Amino acid sequence: MNPAHGLCAAGFDHPGWRILIMLFLLRQYGCCRATVMLLALVSASTIPQRSTAATDMILSEVMQAALIRNQDLEAARSQVNAAMGRLKQAGRWPNTRLDLSNQSNKVLSTGGEFTRSIGFSQNFPIAGRINRSMDVARVDVASALTEVNEAERTLLADVARAYYDIVAIDQQISLREKLITIDKALVRASAARQKMGEVSEIDVNTASLELERLRQQQTVLAGKRAAVLKTLAGLSGFGVEEGLAVNTTLPAIVPPPPVEELRRQALSQRPDLRLLSLAANRARGEQLLAKASAWEDWTVSLGIERDKLVITGLPRQSTDTALLLRLSVPIPILNRNRGAQSAAAADAMTAHYKRSALQMRIENEVTGRHAQVMRLLDALTAYRDRTLPLSRRTAELARQAYRMGQLSIADVVQAQRQEIDLNASYIDTLAMYLQARADLKTATAGWTTLMTHPVDTSTDQTGGR
């Protein structure tokens, strides 16, 4: 049987999987080191590399770097090689045994009788045990590949959340910088009016304290940004001494695709769903293996025996040489492996129910995430079109009225704080939208174009027999 057929039958006929099947064939023929090197090259070849020393990285580039550099992913990929090794071992026959025998009465008597034999014995799997073992090992290879996809999906989700945290923090810092510039002008205006005797020192101090409050907030945000940036660097595989600079330009705020389309995408692309399908396939393979193992291997022995008999009262006998052929057939009467077969069948049902439960959770998760994104979009639109322009206009009118002596500094600070609070609420809502959008994309496995070899779970081509 062609060893690639099992992987193709297991539903991995995607072009990316064909590459890995080719790698398995190389490994099957003994090119172990070449397989490891080629697998690393294939994993990296799908990810365009980009120098990060001179320019800031956008989200997709940070994700690409994470897929290349993250050591947890390398650990997951190494398990593919381990599964390939187990598949190779599963196809090996038992070793041939050398049988030696010597029977003599030389120690106990002087008759000179002896019987000596030499031969070879070989176990023959007559019920297809090796083929069934290889079927199980092929599913293990497919599972290892899918676990790489699931590790990549989880990593990309963490990267996106950290990246969007930095985007939101930069928006907060940018807001403080604009307000600090405005407050500096307000402090200068208050100082000028104090010199003219129009306001007291209290007004100048109030404006200065508001300016200091904004500066302290900016310092706190800068520290938070540094911490999140290091978290992102760790996820992306950058060392402590390596610099990671990100481009935090605000992405386009657009509605997601229809929820029905996203649900179909999630069910066809989620690796964790595929893993449960493969778990059911493996259990069915284990059931067939247990059935085949009920018929243990037959043992065939072939050899030569020489013996000499001594009979009292008769002439000396010549040495006889004979060809030996033995066949040992275990009879499955007491143990037919029924317990192992029942356990494997139960495991298959367990995986089936778990897959159904996960599918239901995925559909509800995608629906909920989609609704959250749509509601946050409505809130952002209201902030952008009505609330923020009105708060900016109110604060500007308050500052103009203060310069003209129509309002006190307390009224200006109150209007300005209201503007800050509303802008901060807008940025918080924006951060929630970015995180919700990232969660929605994670729930639908939306970054499959970046993943090493994305799977397709839309069809259940399990290869079960």
Side-chain angles (χ1 to χ4, degrees), residues 398 406-417:
Q406 298 174 352
L407 284 180
S408 68
I409 190 66
D411 294 329
V412 177
V413 170
Q414 180 180 359
Q416 191 161 286
R417 285 190 177 180

Side-chain angles (χ1 to χ4, degrees), residues 426-449:
Y426 168 75
I427 294 174
D428 289 341
T429 305
L430 176 64
M432 293 174 61
Y433 162 78
L434 294 175
Q435 297 290 357
R437 192 171 77 170
D439 292 341
L440 179 60
K441 205 159 188 178
T442 301
T444 59
W447 288 294
T448 52
T449 55

Side-chain angles (χ1 to χ4, degrees), residues 276-355:
L276 289 176
S277 296
L278 290 170
N281 299 343
R282 192 185 194 282
R284 288 193 288 269
E286 288 280 5
Q287 187 177 9
L288 293 174
L289 176 60
K291 185 176 181 180
S293 298
W295 290 88
E296 299 179 33
D297 296 352
W298 291 12
T299 303
V300 177
S301 301
L302 180 65
I304 297 176
E305 182 181 82
R306 299 187 68 185
D307 63 0
K308 180 181 179 181
L309 297 177
V310 176
I311 302 176
T312 305
L314 293 179
R316 182 183 181 89
Q317 303 293 314
S318 61
T319 301
D320 293 331
T321 302
L323 179 66
L324 296 178
L325 178 62
R326 294 190 181 94
L327 174 63
S328 176
V329 180
I331 302 175
I333 296 177
L334 301 179
N335 180 11
R336 296 187 178 182
N337 232 10
R338 295 289 176 82
Q341 296 179 47
S342 299
D347 289 341
M349 290 303 299
T350 300
H352 170 74
Y353 288 129
K354 284 185 176 181
R355 188 187 189 281

Side-chain angles (χ1 to χ4, degrees), residues 38-55:
L38 283 171
L39 183 61
L41 289 174
V42 169
S43 300
S45 65
T46 59
I47 307 170
Q49 301 188 26
R50 179 180 185 270
S51 173
T52 62
T55 57

